[in-house]
């Protein structure tokens, strides 16, 4: 069965080579202020202010017609969406590097292309790993101001429950240099979905996520958890944002789960992670200035 599915995935993407695309956005300061309100940072932003990493995710919105969404709320088709049957998408992680902050209220160009396509077999079956590279430029610069490589995982699955246990609610003592325990609520997930133009039902539709996806509750966005990591460091460094940031999503986290965000300066790099009870790691990463 595995070999059959793998051949099917390979057959479907054999001639799939989407061309690079270029988009523009003004980076409206009000959008950054909305994210600050969602995160309760107490900040407001104006023109020419520096945009923290990874807040660029709330820009360059993709907003297809509702009729073009799939059963899971994700777009049924898209320029960088591989043409595989019964496609399911997971955000696996990202690597971000910058030479300087993006400035708000400034015309910004985003050039995106496929950097890699890899097939792997995991616990849930055969998967397609797609890396999308995006370069952000301002002021007509030849070199990008920010580069991100997002790792996205796709699998072919018609939809069935996969029982998933919740982590323990008992957090052990932390030995990290800095730590915090965010408590995102259902409105937090709704607002973050809206800001990032994410209509995936796992973040707001409890019957769908429990009955179809097999999760015990609404899933907290992986990018939101990554933002919590970057924000922990920024809050402890007097508002200084990371220049380089990478992370890997290892295990889903659900609304109501008690979790801790941790950061430790290892002497050049900042080691980052999101953990629940039993020292279960949900997100691991690193950052630097």
């Amino acid at each position: 069965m595995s070999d059959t599915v793998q051949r099917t995935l390979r057959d479907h993407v054999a001639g799939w080579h989407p061309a690079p695309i270029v988009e523009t956005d003004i980076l409206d300061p009000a959008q950054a202020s909305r994210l600050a309100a969602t995160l309760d940072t107490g900040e407001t932003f104006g023109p020419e202010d520096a945009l923290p990493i990874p807040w660029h995710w709330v820009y360059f919105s993709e907003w297809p017609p509702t009729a073009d969404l799939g059963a899971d709320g994700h777009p049924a088709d898209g320029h960088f969406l591989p043409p595989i049957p019964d496609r399911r998408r997971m955000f696996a992680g990202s690597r971000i590097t910058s030479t300087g902050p993006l400035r708000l209220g400034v015309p910004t160009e985003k050039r995106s292309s496929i950097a890699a396509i890899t097939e792997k077999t995991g616990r849930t079956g055969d998967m397609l790993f797609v890396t999308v590279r995006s370069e952000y430029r301002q002021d007509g610069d030849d070199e990008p101001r920010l580069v991100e490589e997002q790792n996205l995982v796709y699998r072919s699955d018609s939809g069935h429950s996969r029982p998933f246990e919740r982590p323990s609610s008992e957090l052990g003592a932390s030995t990290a240099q800095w730590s915090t325990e965010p408590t995102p609520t259902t409105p937090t997930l709704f607002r973050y979905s809206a800001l990032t133009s994410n209509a995936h039902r796992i973040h707001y539709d409890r019957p769908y996520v429990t009955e179809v996806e097999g999760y015990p509750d609404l899933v907290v966005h992986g990018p939101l958890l990554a933002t919590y990591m970057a924000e922990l460091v920024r809050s402890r460094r007097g508002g200084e944002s990371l220049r380089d940031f990478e992370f890997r999503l290892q295990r889903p986290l659900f609304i109501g789960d008690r979790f801790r965000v941790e950061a430790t300066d290892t002497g050049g790099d900042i080691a980052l992670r999101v953990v629940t009870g039993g020292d279960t790691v949900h997100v691991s990463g690193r950052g630097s200035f």
Side-chain angles (χ1 to χ4, degrees):
M1 179 64 177
S2 175
D3 289 342
T4 300
V5 174
Q6 191 171 41
R7 283 198 302 272
T8 300
L9 292 182
R10 184 179 297 115
D11 289 344
H12 277 277
V13 301
W16 183 65
H17 301 291
I21 59 174
V22 178
E23 306 168 84
T24 58
D25 197 331
I26 301 296
L27 305 190
D28 182 2
Q31 185 76 340
S33 295
R34 294 182 190 110
L35 179 55
T38 300
L39 300 173
D40 289 318
T41 69
E43 298 167 286
T44 55
F45 290 84
E48 296 292 335
D49 283 348
L51 183 69
I53 286 178
W55 289 33
H56 61 285
W57 290 333
V58 302
Y59 294 99
F60 295 92
S61 299
E62 295 181 10
W63 204 266
T66 301
D68 292 344
L69 300 180
D72 59 359
H74 194 258
D77 295 296
H79 189 74
F80 291 128
L81 297 180
I84 62 178
D86 301 317
R87 185 181 55 238
R88 287 286 188 273
R89 174 186 182 273
M90 295 172 286
F91 186 48
S94 182
R95 180 169 59 254
I96 301 167
T97 59
S98 67
T99 58
L102 295 173
R103 302 184 340 271
L104 293 172
V106 176
T108 305
E109 180 186 85
K110 176 184 178 183
R111 300 180 184 179
S112 301
S113 60
I114 296 292
I117 302 174
T118 308
E119 295 177 59
K120 295 183 180 180
T121 300
R123 289 181 303 137
T124 58
D126 298 297
M127 300 173 292
L128 193 71
F129 285 73
V130 177
T131 300
V132 178
R133 177 184 172 91
S134 296
E135 300 180 351
Y136 297 78
R137 290 175 171 82
Q138 292 184 325
D139 304 321
D141 292 338
D142 291 332
E143 296 299 319
R145 193 172 289 256
L146 183 148
V147 176
E148 177 178 17
E149 291 191 346
Q150 283 192 2
N151 296 315
L152 305 166
V153 182
Y154 298 92
R155 56 186 171 82
S156 184
D157 184 355
S158 58
H160 60 276
S161 295
R162 297 174 301 281
F164 206 105
E165 295 183 2
R166 303 194 82 132
S168 169
S169 61
E170 297 298 322
L171 277 174
S174 176
T175 59
Q177 183 178 0
W178 302 316
S179 65
T180 186
E181 293 186 28
T183 54
T185 62
T186 302
T188 306
L189 302 194
F190 169 80
R191 298 177 88 183
Y192 192 77
S193 287
L195 285 167
T196 55
S197 307
N198 184 351
H200 202 301
R201 293 168 67 182
I202 60 173
H203 304 303
Y204 61 86
D205 188 335
R206 187 172 279 107
Y208 170 83
V209 77
T210 57
E211 297 169 13
V212 177
E213 297 284 351
Y215 293 126
D217 214 326
L218 300 178
V219 179
V220 180
H221 308 70
L224 177 58
L225 296 175
T227 301
Y228 282 140
M229 292 197 301
E231 283 301 292
L232 171 61
V233 178
R234 191 168 75 96
S235 68
R236 299 302 193 273
R237 292 282 297 239
E240 183 182 9
S241 182
L242 293 168
R243 287 293 189 95
D244 301 295
F245 179 42
E246 63 179 86
F247 63 93
R248 183 167 66 93
L249 302 174
Q250 298 179 226
R251 186 181 179 91
L253 194 144
F254 310 105
I255 193 75
D257 287 347
R258 184 183 176 192
F259 67 96
R260 182 168 55 230
V261 181
E262 299 180 338
T264 300
D265 190 337
T266 61
D269 284 347
I270 308 293
L272 301 159
R273 64 179 197 159
V274 173
V275 298
T276 54
D279 206 36
T280 301
V281 179
H282 293 258
V283 189
S284 59
R286 58 163 292 278
S288 63
F289 294 95

